[in-house]
């Protein structure tokens, strides 16, 4: 298991992780082993309504529980998983785990909210994401409205016809589409609207500029008004301060996600969050601390 700091949060094992990724070949073997030994878990980070604090959804974030290195961040292994093709297996495993977890919470009688999963460009290029989603949703009897898919801008830039077909097929299932890390790629809002993306998640680089400069605020305001004009919901990623939250509320940003509201939490902490249902009434740290 991972180490914890004073606040009861897991921290990543930096020194040993650099040893872990020393050899790409070694890491690839360890990743294969990790899949076979089921060493992956999903953490969940709530996303809340910027006005009311109501929990609207949770993002599933992958963690590798390494027997020696503890909790390993996806940033350490997703790149190699992508270049080696292992992301196809890992990606399907994430869908399966998310659906199984939603079903478990439902069976516990909890007021469930949708879960969003991250889908890598490599998975997307295969054109099989919609079929896999359909299989796992059906296997667990989950309504498609309880699953959402996050795709980075770069994933949408490939073969236009194939991308359009895959996006259309996912949407036809009733699964909502989110643009992840918006602002870091080269897509324009009008392109994204043509692709009929439902939700725009603005990268945390832009959130962190709020309050620092007038330009930062003006820029975010422009994104919000254009996205709204095009019928998209706007989410701010990486909200870390109360000041950022206040500005985002003033700008009419729809939803917020970030450490200020809640860190990614292990599944065991989520029932308490769902029961409370509102992170303005009671902060997630308090809910999680009481639950764990
Ligand atoms: P992402 O999809 O943009 O996810 C948000 C990342 O920002 C997460 O990092 C989250 O822990 C972090 N974060 C959330 N709030 C804050 C904040 O207030 N401040 C800061 N500094 N960071 C915040 P994480 O969990 O390390 O994941 C990193 C990236 O790895 C994700 O970025 C996503 O691109 C990728 N990833 C995670 N899980 C999966 C997965 O299941 N499949 C794929 N393909 N990629 C995944
Ligand atoms: Mg994401
Ligand atoms: Mg993101
Ligand atoms: Mg991001």
């Amino acid at each position: 298991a991972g180490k914890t700091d004073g606040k009861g949060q897991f921290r990543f094992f930096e020194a040993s992780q650099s040893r872990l990724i020393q050899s790409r070949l070694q890491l690839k073997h360890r990743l294969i082993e990790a899949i076979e030994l089921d060493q992956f878990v999903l953490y969940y980070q709530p996303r809340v309504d910027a006005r009311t604090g109501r929990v609207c959804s949770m993002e599933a974030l992958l963690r590798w529980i390494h027997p020696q290195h503890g909790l390993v961040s996806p940033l350490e292994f997703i790149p190699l998983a992508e270049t080696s093709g292992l992301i196809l297996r890992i990606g399907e495993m994430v869908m399966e785990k998310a659906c199984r977890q939603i079903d478990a919470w439902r069976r516990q009688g909890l007021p469930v909210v949708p879960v969003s999963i991250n889908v890598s460009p490599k998975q997307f290029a295969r054109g099989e994401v919609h079929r896999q989603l359909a299989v796992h949703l059906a296997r667990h009897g989950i309504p498609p409205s309880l699953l959402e898919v996050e795709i980075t801008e770069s994933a949408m830039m490939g073969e236009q016809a194939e991308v359009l077909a895959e996006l259309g097929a996912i949407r036809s299932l009733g699964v909502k589409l989110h643009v992840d890390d918006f602002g870091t790629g080269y897509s324009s809002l009008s392109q994204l609207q043509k692709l009929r993306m439902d939700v725009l998640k603005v990268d945390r680089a832009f959130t962190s500029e709020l309050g620092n400069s007038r330009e930062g605020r003006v820029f975010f305001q422009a994104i919000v008004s254009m996205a709204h004009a095009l019928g998209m919901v706007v989410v701010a990623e990486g909200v870390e301060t109360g000041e950022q939250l206040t500005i985002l509320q003033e700008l009419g940003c729809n939803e917020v996600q970030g450490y200020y509201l809640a860190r990614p939490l292990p599944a065991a902490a989520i029932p308490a969050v769902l029961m409370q249902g509102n992170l303005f009434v009671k902060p997630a740290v308090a809910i999680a601390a009481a639950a764990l």
Side-chain angles (χ1 to χ4, degrees):
K3 299 239 165 168
T4 58
D5 66 21
K7 284 169 284 181
Q9 295 288 347
F10 280 101
R11 75 177 157 75
F12 297 123
F13 232 105
E14 278 157 36
S16 6
Q17 273 182 30
S18 54
R19 252 183 284 128
L20 184 79
I21 58 168
Q22 240 169 28
S23 147
R24 293 165 55 85
L25 190 63
Q26 208 185 8
L27 176 60
K28 188 181 171 188
H29 287 312
R30 289 191 187 170
L31 276 179
I32 293 170
E33 195 181 65
I35 296 170
E36 277 154 12
L37 297 176
D38 197 21
Q39 290 174 342
F40 291 102
V41 296
L42 294 179
Y43 270 43
Y44 296 88
Q45 186 180 33
R47 213 174 73 216
V48 311
D49 184 305
R51 273 201 204 129
T52 64
R54 185 180 54 85
V55 177
C56 358
S57 173
M58 291 182 293
E59 179 170 8
L61 294 160
L62 192 58
R63 301 288 181 263
W64 176 7
I65 311 229
H66 190 282
Q68 278 92 49
H69 303 280
L71 209 58
V72 183
S73 159
L75 299 173
E76 301 282 340
F77 61 86
I78 292 283
L80 184 82
E82 284 180 338
T83 53
S84 65
L86 284 173
I87 193 67
L88 300 175
R89 283 171 73 186
I90 292 175
E92 188 162 12
M93 175 193 74
V94 168
M95 282 177 201
E96 208 284 319
K97 284 187 189 295
C99 289
R100 184 153 24 114
Q101 185 62 75
I102 295 168
D103 189 40
W105 285 327
R106 235 179 13 170
R107 285 169 191 275
Q108 289 171 45
L110 291 163
V112 291
V113 297
V115 169
S116 67
I117 58 169
N118 292 281
V119 174
S120 118
K122 282 277 155 58
Q123 286 169 272
F124 206 68
R126 279 286 180 104
E128 285 166 12
V129 174
H130 71 284
R131 218 168 307 138
Q132 294 174 343
L133 287 169
V135 166
H136 294 290
L137 286 167
R139 189 170 291 164
H140 293 281
I142 310 278
S145 58
L146 285 184
L147 205 63
E148 303 167 336
V149 162
E150 300 193 5
I151 313 161
T152 57
E153 287 172 71
S154 59
M156 290 174 264
M157 297 294 103
E159 282 297 306
Q160 203 62 8
E162 286 168 27
V163 171
L164 272 171
E166 182 63 14
L167 287 170
I170 295 172
R171 193 183 315 103
S172 301
L173 293 172
V175 172
K176 283 213 172 112
L177 295 164
H178 296 206
V179 182
D180 205 351
D181 303 340
F182 177 73
T184 58
Y186 299 96
S187 53
S188 68
L189 281 173
S190 68
Q191 273 174 298
L192 296 174
Q193 194 221 14
K194 283 196 196 98
L195 297 174
R196 291 175 57 201
M197 305 301 290
D198 301 287
V199 180
L200 200 67
K201 297 189 77 172
V202 181
D203 193 73
R204 74 178 145 86
F206 301 100
T207 305
S208 66
E209 278 307 306
L210 294 170
N212 285 348
S213 64
R214 210 187 84 82
E215 290 75 22
R217 186 187 166 115
V218 167
F219 190 78
F220 214 111
Q221 169 77 80
I223 297 176
V224 171
S225 33
M226 276 191 72
H228 283 174
L230 297 170
M232 285 185 271
V233 166
V234 183
V235 179
E237 292 190 290
V239 178
E240 292 183 349
T241 69
E243 187 195 14
Q244 290 167 355
L245 176 61
T246 304
I247 297 172
L248 289 163
Q249 287 169 329
E250 288 166 6
L251 297 184
C253 179
N254 304 87
E255 297 172 10
V256 286
Q257 182 178 349
Y259 295 168
Y260 182 69
L261 300 136
R263 294 207 167 230
L265 297 164
I270 296 302
V273 172
L274 291 174
M275 302 264 273
Q276 169 60 44
N278 190 306
L279 297 186
F280 290 174
V281 173
K282 196 172 178 186
V285 244
I287 302 170
L292 288 175

